[in-house]
Amino acid sequence: MQGSARRRPHPAAAPGSPQPAGPLYQGRAARLVPVATALSRISRLTRVPHPRPDPPTHPQHPQFIPVTADFLQKPSSSRVPPALSKELQLFQATPPHPGCPSSPAVARHGAVKSEDTFKTPQFHFDLWFYFTLQNWVLDFGRPIAMIILPLEWFPLNKPSAGDYFHMAYNVITPFLLLKLIERSPKTLPRSMVYVSIIVFVMGASIHLVGDSVNHRLIFSGYQHHLSVRENPIIKNLKPETLIDSFELLYYYDEYLGHSMWYIPFFLILFIYFTGCFTPVEEESRMPLAALLLMGPSSLYYWYLVTEGQIFILYIFTFFAMMALVMHQKRKGLVLDSNGLFLFYSFIITLVLIAVWVIWLWNDKILRKKYPGVIYIPEPWAFYTLHMNNLHAAKESL
């Protein structure tokens, strides 16, 4: 019977009697006793007042109350005895679990971004100034620099000064757009911004090549107010398939390049505009610097829309801004200084476009090049048609 004998468990202890000692009772509960004792002593000695204020609820689960340890992070060291000071310091030095609501990972990637709360919207004068300056110098000044600078400095088989301006524009403009997005008081969809920046750079680079060749053709007698096949230096080319090649070049320049350049450009501006709303009325005021920049900025947008032939894209962006302003106004939100600067610049641009169209409404030659309902002539087509003829007449005299 000795070999078949089984171990019998200890009989259950009577209520109130001490637990019997033995290997079966040296388990988890026995190991947790010192920890529970230490925590109770810390809580009793720090004398946390009750009831405590309710901590903020979880943004997605209101019934969930995150556990905070403010009384352990900032205890009253004068009430902690020396015997427990080391234990308390060790507890405070332990980093929170990554899933804890108070951990930096959750604060950084949670549903409510910390920058949404603490960033104060201010007018970004430095970025808007650099943005306007480089637009005028590197974009509007490209063809001017190519015409003014001597041809001997930049031969026709080499990049012109305007091409180098365009290269600088393709680098500086995306950088400034990204800096604008970074300074937004709201968290914006970064993936959409990055994709838009990539497409923007690709479209501007395509336009760089086509625009370089088209502007170089001016020195050979090319006239921008005429179509490709109607130009005197193009229509007599042999074989005629060369004309198709020049039309392909014109397509890359004026259609594909402009579309891939300007659609991401206005999309990024609109994404930035969505974060320019504030509930504080005092922040909805433009400083004097914004008022001074509004004129040059609006004039550049006029040039961008007319020369790029992107009026439909511009007007849809403007209508989207108006709809967003009315929608946010119902929620009690108003535009901050940056949003007002962008919105008013678009309004002045629309006025300038209307004045430009009314002025050239009866021009028969430009009417022939720009048929259809939307009649918005390009400034450089107007220049090659009227200003070049005026200069030639003066030289003949």
Side-chain angles (χ1 to χ4, degrees):
M1 298 296 294
Q2 239 178 2
S4 62
R6 298 180 180 178
R7 293 183 180 179
R8 296 181 179 179
H10 291 281
S17 61
Q19 292 286 344
L24 296 178
Y25 293 92
Q26 295 178 358
R28 184 179 299 176
R31 290 196 300 269
L32 292 178
V33 169
V35 177
T37 305
L39 290 176
S40 63
R41 292 174 64 187
I42 292 174
S43 177
R44 184 174 65 255
L45 291 173
T46 51
R47 299 179 185 178
V48 181
H50 293 281
R52 297 175 61 189
D54 295 336
T57 59
H58 195 275
Q60 297 181 355
H61 306 284
Q63 70 276 11
F64 172 73
I65 301 178
V67 179
T68 58
D70 295 339
F71 70 98
L72 292 178
Q73 294 176 2
K74 297 180 181 180
S76 178
S77 58
S78 59
R79 295 197 295 263
V80 179
L84 294 178
S85 61
K86 292 184 178 180
E87 299 179 15
L88 186 57
Q89 292 174 2
L90 181 62
F91 193 90
Q92 296 168 5
T94 304
H97 190 270
C100 177
S102 61
S103 66
V106 174
R108 184 169 60 253
H109 301 293
V112 179
K113 301 289 184 179
S114 59
E115 58 263 25
D116 291 355
T117 307
F118 298 107
K119 279 189 177 180
T120 302
Q122 298 177 354
F123 183 70
H124 311 314
F125 173 75
D126 54 343
L127 290 182
W128 289 119
F129 175 76
Y130 295 144
F131 190 66
T132 305
L133 180 63
Q134 68 95 24
N135 283 335
W136 275 104
V137 174
L138 300 180
D139 191 16
F140 180 78
R142 284 187 296 109
I144 298 177
M146 182 191 65
I147 295 174
I148 292 178
L149 295 178
L151 189 60
E152 294 79 13
W153 295 1
F154 305 95
L156 292 178
N157 60 346
K158 300 294 182 181
S160 66
D163 297 340
Y164 292 112
F165 279 30
H166 207 317
M167 296 176 193
Y169 175 90
N170 293 359
V171 176
I172 298 175
T173 303
F175 174 76
L176 293 177
L177 290 175
L178 287 174
K179 296 302 291 184
L180 274 177
I181 296 296
E182 288 180 4
R183 292 197 188 180
S184 174
K186 302 295 181 182
T187 302
L188 303 176
R190 298 296 177 88
S191 299
M192 185 178 295
V193 172
Y194 295 153
V195 171
S196 301
I197 290 292
I198 294 171
V199 178
F200 171 88
V201 174
M202 185 176 179
S205 301
I206 292 175
H207 179 268
L208 165 63
V209 178
D211 192 67
S212 174
V213 177
N214 284 334
H215 280 289
R216 288 298 196 155
L217 290 175
I218 295 178
F219 294 102
S220 302
Y222 188 83
Q223 301 178 19
H224 276 283
H225 62 277
L226 298 176
S227 64
V228 175
R229 290 188 176 271
E230 293 176 352
N231 262 274
I233 66 171
I234 301 294
K235 63 182 180 180
N236 295 325
L237 286 176
K238 299 297 180 182
E240 292 187 359
T241 53
L242 287 176
I243 302 179
D244 297 333
S245 300
F246 277 98
E247 285 186 333
L248 177 62
L249 180 67
Y250 184 82
Y251 172 79
Y252 273 111
D253 178 17
E254 298 296 330
Y255 293 99
L256 184 61
H258 282 181
S259 299
M260 296 181 65
W261 178 3
Y262 295 131
I263 291 177
F265 178 81
F266 281 95
L267 180 60
I268 293 172
L269 288 181
F270 180 75
I271 292 174
Y272 173 78
F273 184 78
T274 59
C276 295
F277 290 89
T278 176
V280 183
E281 290 285 346
E282 288 74 11
E283 296 175 356
S284 183
R285 297 176 181 175
M286 286 194 301
L288 180 61
L291 297 175
L292 295 177
L293 277 179
M294 192 177 300
S297 177
S298 305
L299 195 59
Y300 171 74
Y301 288 132
W302 163 82
Y303 170 77
L304 193 69
V305 173
T306 54
E307 184 66 26
Q309 294 292 288
I310 52 170
F311 178 77
I312 296 179
L313 175 62
Y314 158 77
I315 202 65
F316 269 101
T317 306
F318 179 65
F319 285 159
M321 287 180 174
M322 289 184 61
L324 185 61
V325 169
M326 292 186 292
H327 176 70
Q328 297 285 30
K329 190 175 182 180
R330 296 177 182 177
K331 297 182 180 181
L333 300 177
V334 294
L335 286 171
D336 60 11
S337 56
N338 296 283
L340 288 175
F341 173 78
L342 193 58
F343 189 62
Y344 288 160
S345 297
F346 271 53
I347 293 177
I348 299 175
T349 301
L350 186 61
V351 174
L352 293 176
I353 293 173
V355 173
W356 173 257
V357 171
I358 293 173
W359 182 38
L360 300 176
W361 186 260
N362 296 321
D363 195 305
K364 295 180 180 180
I365 300 178
L366 293 177
R367 272 284 185 180
K368 186 178 180 180
K369 183 179 180 181
Y370 304 99
V373 180
I374 301 177
Y375 167 69
I376 302 178
E378 298 177 55
W380 278 105
F382 171 81
Y383 172 81
T384 57
L385 174 61
H386 297 287
M387 305 305 294
N388 264 354
N389 296 337
L390 181 62
H391 292 326
K394 286 183 178 179
E395 290 177 359
S396 62
L397 294 177

